[in-house]
Amino acid sequence: AMLTGAAVCLMTGLSAKGDTRRATVWVTAATLILAGILTVAIKVDYHSGVGLGGMIPFVKLAVVVIGLVLLMVAANVPNQLKQTRDAEAAEGTSRVDPGHLMRGEFFAFFLFSLTGVMLTAGADDLVWLFLALELTSLPTYVLVATSRDRIDAQEAAIKYFFLGALS
């Protein structure tokens, strides 16, 4: 559900209509709510002695709740980015340039990162844990660098990437 929601966020973020692009935050919220409902509704037998066991649904539900809180905090971030403001100001005069619209990518990477955290909770071997951690960390590198016009954001993203690669 989270990966499908991230793909839908990418598609709505690239829409030619401004109202559809602005609905991306609502698609993200609906995805998180659906993931929370599925986490509670689907009963999985976690009989393996590895990992968190019976705590996995609780951790996944906690990730969904924390994701909703973070979404409320970060819902306006794409609107504050200079490239988004410039692209939406020129919307009525020319065609929409998808290279400057950050709304879809921002919320898709947000969902990808939360998906990685949820997969980390359910990892029962080292390979799966590593892949889940990478799915958690790689989108956050991109989220740090979303403000392309600020050299501080680019520098922070590069430092964060190298720190993650070395660790």
Side-chain angles (χ1 to χ4, degrees), residues 7-164:
V8 172
C9 281
L10 283 173
M11 289 186 286
T12 58
L14 290 175
S15 173
K17 297 180 181 176
D19 292 336
T20 305
R21 286 194 308 271
R22 284 184 280 281
T24 307
V25 69
W26 295 107
V27 171
T28 306
T31 300
L32 287 169
I33 291 169
L34 177 65
I37 291 170
L38 290 175
T39 299
V40 172
I42 297 175
K43 302 295 182 199
V44 178
D45 183 25
Y46 297 105
H47 65 287
S48 171
V50 181
L52 296 175
M55 289 281 294
I56 294 172
F58 173 76
V59 172
K60 288 182 178 183
L61 193 58
V63 169
V64 167
V65 170
I66 292 169
L68 284 169
V69 171
L70 288 174
L71 181 63
M72 287 188 274
V73 171
N76 202 29
V77 169
N79 296 334
Q80 296 175 353
L81 298 174
K82 183 181 181 307
Q83 63 265 23
T84 302
R85 287 193 315 257
D86 292 346
E88 293 195 354
E91 182 178 354
T93 59
S94 64
R95 292 179 45 157
V96 177
D97 183 12
H100 293 289
L101 298 173
M102 294 299 297
R103 189 171 283 113
E105 290 90 348
F106 181 84
F107 292 115
F109 284 130
F110 178 75
L111 287 176
F112 283 139
S113 185
L114 289 177
T115 303
V117 175
M118 291 175 83
L119 291 174
T120 302
D124 58 354
D125 61 15
L126 194 58
V127 173
W128 191 246
L129 178 66
F130 178 75
L131 289 174
L133 284 172
E134 289 301 315
L135 183 59
T136 302
S137 61
L138 289 175
T140 58
Y141 303 151
V142 178
L143 285 174
V144 169
T146 53
S147 183
R148 294 184 201 155
D149 57 330
R150 293 186 54 203
I151 193 70
D152 295 342
Q154 295 173 7
E155 179 184 356
I158 292 295
K159 287 180 178 178
Y160 186 32
F161 174 75
F162 284 130
L163 177 68

